[in-house]
Amino acid sequence: MKAFDSTQLYFNRAADQIDLTENMRRLLLIPKREVQVQVAIERDNGEIATFVGYRVQHDDARGPMKGGLRYHPDVDMDEVRSLAALMTWKTAVVDLPYGGAKGGLAIDPAQFSTRELELITRRFVDGIHDVIGPDMDIPAPDMGTNAEVMAWFMNQYAKYHGYSPACVTGKPVEMHGLPGREEATGRGVGILTYKMLTRMGRKPAQTRVAIQGFGNVGSHTAKFLHEAGFRLVAVSDYSGGYYRPEGLDVPAVLRYALDHKGTLAGYTGAQQISNSELLGLDVDVLIPAALGGVITHANAESVRAKIIIEAANAPVYPDADDILAARGVMILPDILANAGGVTASYFEWVQNRQHYRWDINRVRQELEHVMTRAFERVWELSVERKVSLRTAAYIVGIGRVGQATVLGGIS
Ligand code: GLU
């Protein structure tokens, strides 16, 4: 199944619940604008390299469009379109005054030098700067990009439009960034995992957790859950999985990754397993925190966790969602679970526009407030309507975007 078809299926399930008309569905589903540009650079060895850059601006009924920039070999227009739509529902679920967008390049950043990545980013900005801006569309980090890339983005954008730090979020703290933005997605995942388990009457110390992916999101989730007293038994990255049934020494794992350029390769404090073994471990909570489409009909039966927290975007495909639902597995959906990142991005954007700096305590406090409020609303609605948390989250998101569209007037 293609990525956009999958997002559309989840959308339609919720749209059926609220009897949304066909015309309104079309209006909300079709992206407002899709941009594709050529990005050409001279590599360090003198060769010319060309890439395709994408930016999909899905919907702006609730405000400027917002969403990350992904550098990953799997990036294509279909994936970016699907991720852009997810951003529209995500910003609406947590009630930020934004629409949704997403962009990216089909490259593996590990294959390029820092100088080459800077050039690629600057040429990409050259191609899209006229459709980007603090009141139009505000990019941010995603898989394969980071604060450094956002700094290049801001600097190149300024060459066309002058000083405008609010044109992009997730910048370095020393350069108009927000303390707490980097940890925010993982922290939000942690906050909601804790809330959800408490709701279900479970105690952290009796809860075994496995996290797939140990990048920015996975590692900050691990740190938060460890500090909250959960028993983290397995983590993984591209080098494989690391499993210790009695519980991992989380500070040691975090330190190992820091000392080894972010990778866990060579970590000996746990039993080595494969990524697919990790997905099938006998744990209470499974947190996919890497790529999309990791749980499909092919492996859904082997998932033993009773709770899945979608820290990644679109990790569970609809065919797997059905199998898991039939087995009573509860899924906290991506558009709510990982919304902490874009929420902190919103704080950064507000701070940039006010030329005022928030400290980390305020950021953490407001993040918890926004995430909790959204969680309560979605949970309530799912109980009220007897639907999954995903369908409830989509109903909240679609309801808000639909309302803004109608209030703004279509003709
Ligand atoms: N890339 C992140 C996401 O998928 C953050 C987007 C943002 O901060 O705008 O939610």
Side-chain angles (χ1 to χ4, degrees), residues 66-70 87 90 102 138-143 169 181 185 313 338-339 341-343 345-346:
K66 187 86 191 81
L69 283 183
R70 178 172 288 202
M87 288 309 301
K90 191 186 301 187
K102 199 80 166 200
I138 308 122
D142 197 82
M143 201 176 286
T169 58
R181 169 62 186 89
T185 312
N313 285 313
N338 72 31
V342 71
T343 301
S345 274
Y346 167 64

Side-chain angles (χ1 to χ4, degrees), residues 183 187 191 343 347 358-372:
E183 68 175 25
R187 198 175 174 83
I191 291 171
T343 301
F347 301 153
W358 295 14
D359 71 21
I360 184 128
N361 293 326
R362 177 161 178 203
V363 171
R364 286 178 172 170
Q365 223 172 358
E366 302 245 2
L367 177 70
E368 176 151 5
H369 173 68
V370 172
M371 296 297 286
T372 306

